[in-house]
Amino acid sequence: MSDLRVQYADRIIDGKAFAEGLRARIGAAVSEINQTHGLTPSLAVVLVGDDPASQVYVRNKGRAAEAAGIAAADHRLDASTSQEELLDLVATLNNDPAIHGILVQLPLPDQIDPAAVIDAIDPAKDVDGFHVVNTGRLATGQMSGPNAALVPCTPLGCRMMLEDRLGDLAGLEAVVLGRSNIVGKPMAQLLVQASCTVTVAHSKTRDLADVCRRADILIAAVGRPQMVHGDWIKSGAAVIDVGINRVPAPTDEEPDKMGLVGDVDFDTAIAVAGAITPVPGGVGPMTIACLLAN
Ligand code: GUN
């Protein structure tokens, strides 16, 4: 472990440990469902093509589901699959009462419109929370009851870690760096619901570093390796790093070695932040745990 990780150990938000606890609670809930209703929750995981990163994500999701007692049915389709064929599979899964959740891994090959596929998933089975019915319910604050929003997993995990570390988030200044449908936009919605004052910043934002320095909570979700430096961060701020970037990390023994870094420059950030998620071991494990929760 690096000296900084030892020196500032109490600033690190351990997403891996948090996710293990959450997964254990989900496992207990699954066995309760099993005993009371004689039912095994089942997740269909659809992967089109052979993108190596997607293959790893899909494998990890399937394993995590099975470890929690959820059945995971894998559907691997060829990279040349047409949109119509994929929509047929989604329709079959929608109509199968033994399937409770459907996940179509993104990105999809160019011949398939992801919006058309997401639109076709039954909102009640949309464990990613990407369907417009779920994004609409999130935006309007429909968060409980039989028609509650299914919330995208990454931002959901981020908010859980923030509330665990900071307690009530009301009144805090939050800056979300990135405006994707998967992370930035739903993250902003969840922070508004928690009564934060929220700014969504992006590639066209002027004086980006100044905007970030206002934040009590800074969420980095731009996909640019180590873009956020310590001098962008207000002293004591909570920093959530959503980035997962593969970069060269050569050593004398392994000159071609690759490593994972976030969107935050961890070493300069941890010296300033009050709390920070590492990469790996921060947001990633919580995303999978929240998928199981959905
Ligand atoms: N690709 C990258 N992140 C995600 C995710 O959360 N869900 C799906 N389905 N695909 C992704």
Side-chain angles (χ1 to χ4, degrees):
M1 203 187 288
S2 76
D3 290 349
L4 284 167
R5 285 184 187 234
V6 176
Q7 184 182 353
Y8 297 119
D10 59 343
R11 297 183 182 182
I12 295 176
I13 300 175
D14 187 347
K16 189 159 171 264
F18 195 131
E20 274 164 20
L22 181 55
R23 281 166 60 170
R25 293 195 292 282
I26 294 165
V30 168
S31 61
E32 169 90 23
I33 291 172
N34 208 299
Q35 277 160 22
T36 37
H37 302 287
L39 182 152
T40 300
S42 297
L43 171 67
V45 181
V46 182
L47 174 62
V48 186
D50 36 38
D51 176 67
S54 291
Q55 284 175 335
V56 173
Y57 293 141
V58 160
R59 189 168 63 234
N60 289 343
K61 288 170 185 179
R63 283 185 185 155
E66 278 168 359
I70 297 169
D74 256 3
H75 297 266
R76 304 280 170 122
L77 305 182
D78 198 83
S80 63
T81 300
S82 68
Q83 179 164 313
E84 199 185 351
E85 286 169 312
L86 181 55
L87 291 176
D88 279 350
L89 173 60
V90 169
T92 304
L93 297 169
N94 281 343
N95 292 325
D96 184 345
I99 293 291
H100 307 99
I102 302 170
L103 180 154
V104 179
Q105 186 67 23
L106 305 176
L108 291 164
D110 290 346
Q111 72 275 15
I112 302 177
D113 172 14
V117 177
I118 292 167
D119 275 353
I121 296 173
D122 177 350
K125 298 188 179 188
D126 169 35
V127 284
D128 270 321
F130 294 165
H131 193 285
V132 288
V133 165
N134 285 312
T135 59
R137 286 171 175 163
L138 172 62
T140 53
Q142 199 172 319
M143 303 303 285
S144 58
N147 292 325
L150 284 163
V151 178
C153 311
T154 299
L156 184 58
C158 294
R159 195 176 79 175
M160 280 184 192
M161 288 190 286
L162 285 167
E163 286 178 330
D164 182 64
R165 179 60 69 116
L166 303 178
D168 186 6
L169 308 182
L172 296 179
E173 189 88 39
V175 173
V176 179
L177 204 43
R179 52 179 159 175
S180 68
N181 290 337
I182 294 183
V183 183
K185 286 178 198 161
M187 186 78 250
Q189 296 286 2
L190 286 172
L191 291 168
V192 167
Q193 278 182 22
S195 299
C196 293
T197 303
V198 182
T199 302
V200 180
H202 45 74
S203 54
K204 299 282 190 293
T205 298
R206 277 182 280 129
D207 304 323
L208 187 57
D210 283 340
V211 171
C212 291
R213 271 191 290 270
R214 290 208 303 259
D216 302 307
I217 293 171
L218 180 60
I219 312 279
V222 273
R224 307 236 341 232
Q226 297 172 310
M227 183 170 111
V228 176
H229 277 254
D231 62 359
W232 290 30
I233 296 168
K234 173 158 121 182
S235 175
V239 178
I240 304 291
D241 190 352
V242 179
I244 303 179
N245 307 290
R246 270 169 69 77
V247 295
T251 62
D252 288 344
E253 296 77 33
E254 289 180 81
D256 297 330
K257 192 168 176 211
M258 301 293 281
L260 281 188
V261 297
D263 292 349
V264 176
D265 181 49
F266 186 84
D267 287 355
T268 57
I270 196 170
V272 185
I276 183 167
T277 58
V279 177
V283 172
M286 280 301 287
T287 295
I288 295 191
C290 288
L291 172 72
L292 305 182
N294 280 350

